[in-house]
Amino acid sequence: AAGEIRGGSGEYGGEWAHMNRGKTFIISGPSGVGKGSVLRVLLEKRNHIYVSVSATTRPQRPGEEDGVHYHFLDVETFRQRIARDEFLEYAEYVGNFYGTPKEFVDTAMEAGRDVILEIDVQGALQVAAKRPEAILIFIAPPSWEELERRLTLRGTDSPEKIQKRLLRAKVECQTADAYHYFVINDTLENAAAELDAIMTAEHCKSRERMEIINGN
Ligand code: 5GP
């Protein structure tokens, strides 16, 4: 997950645009599938998006910045935040904790921004239970071989961790039937174009448009 985003010309809704309401989009998919890269391409196309920065107890990877890619916390601090109910959801993923800080998400939504949560399936189901209007999008790899190749190329996990992540990915794909959309990341451009189309379509839903236009 990565930071505050500007840019792009993705205004939509014409004169009513200022009345668009922020929506929550949850993006899940196996680690290594390229969610971060797809999001970067998407953010060049669309305005008014806030990408939530998660907290995690996993070690920082080279190139990752604290507060930008994640808030890196020790387990003790993470547990304190759970106890203070500061997470919209949290989950354990391959031996580490990950959680979505509630405050930022709510502030962004109140400001009328779309919020993207890049979280795993367990977390997505927790958010869906609390916020049934959230839109769930699953990003799948073009094949398992390709996913293994991408995880290996990344070079950040041991062969054993890679096998754990692959197994976890297969389980996630099987349990993703609660998702509203499936995007296959064959190329970044295709996947980002599909995501963009989904977000636009969600803002064109008749009930919301009628409420805006009829002033309800
Ligand atoms: P990674 O260690 O590769 O950055 O992330 C591992 C997995 O944790 C990914 O599937 C990612 O989407 C998920 N993840 C990242 N942040 C959160 C979060 O805040 N909550 C939950 N439930 N999962 C997260």
Side-chain angles (χ1 to χ4, degrees), residues 85-128:
D85 196 26
E86 289 182 15
F87 293 120
L88 177 59
E89 60 73 37
Y90 67 92
E92 195 190 325
Y93 188 98
V94 197
N96 296 297
F97 284 121
Y98 296 81
T100 305
K102 212 174 347 192
E103 191 190 334
F104 298 112
V105 172
D106 288 339
T107 308
M109 296 265 304
E110 279 158 23
R113 302 229 179 164
D114 285 336
V115 173
I116 294 186
L117 307 181
E118 193 226 293
I119 61 179
D120 83 327
V121 173
Q122 306 169 77
L125 298 180
Q126 291 177 48
V127 178

Side-chain angles (χ1 to χ4, degrees), residues 37-184:
S37 308
V38 175
L39 280 182
R40 268 195 299 282
V41 178
L42 177 79
L43 294 167
E44 287 164 14
K45 299 175 189 271
R46 296 187 79 90
N47 275 326
H48 304 302
I49 294 183
Y50 174 77
V51 182
S52 164
V53 181
S54 297
T56 184
T57 60
R58 92 149 154 69
Q60 203 164 342
R61 291 182 188 138
E64 283 182 338
E65 244 182 278
D66 188 28
V68 175
H69 297 90
Y70 282 103
H71 301 284
F72 294 96
L73 304 180
D74 59 39
V75 175
E76 181 53 29
T77 311
F78 199 99
R79 287 190 195 283
Q80 285 168 0
R81 297 202 182 174
I82 296 173
R84 290 201 299 260
D85 196 26
E86 289 182 15
F87 293 120
L88 177 59
E89 60 73 37
Y90 67 92
E92 195 190 325
Y93 188 98
V94 197
N96 296 297
F97 284 121
Y98 296 81
T100 305
K102 212 174 347 192
E103 191 190 334
F104 298 112
V105 172
D106 288 339
T107 308
M109 296 265 304
E110 279 158 23
R113 302 229 179 164
D114 285 336
V115 173
I116 294 186
L117 307 181
E118 193 226 293
I119 61 179
D120 83 327
V121 173
Q122 306 169 77
L125 298 180
Q126 291 177 48
V127 178
K130 286 185 195 164
R131 306 195 171 177
E133 68 284 3
I135 298 127
L136 276 61
I137 305 167
F138 194 86
I139 303 193
S143 69
W144 297 121
E145 291 72 27
E146 176 59 18
L147 184 65
E148 185 166 6
R149 199 183 68 84
R150 289 181 193 172
L151 281 171
T152 309
L153 271 182
R154 190 163 75 181
T156 51
D157 291 294
S158 63
E160 189 201 351
K161 267 263 157 123
I162 289 176
Q163 288 312 313
K164 280 193 181 157
R165 283 179 180 262
L166 265 177
L167 187 63
R168 177 68 182 243
K170 289 183 185 173
V171 172
E172 283 200 339
C173 275
Q174 284 160 2
T175 55
D177 50 2
Y179 280 68
H180 302 111
Y181 297 98
F182 245 73
V183 167
I184 298 186

Side-chain angles (χ1 to χ4, degrees), residues 201-215:
E202 285 293 328
H203 279 285
C204 296
K205 284 268 166 88
S206 55
R207 191 199 295 173
E208 177 180 330
R209 282 271 149 102
M210 284 178 70
E211 282 174 2
I212 290 172
I213 286 172
N214 296 328

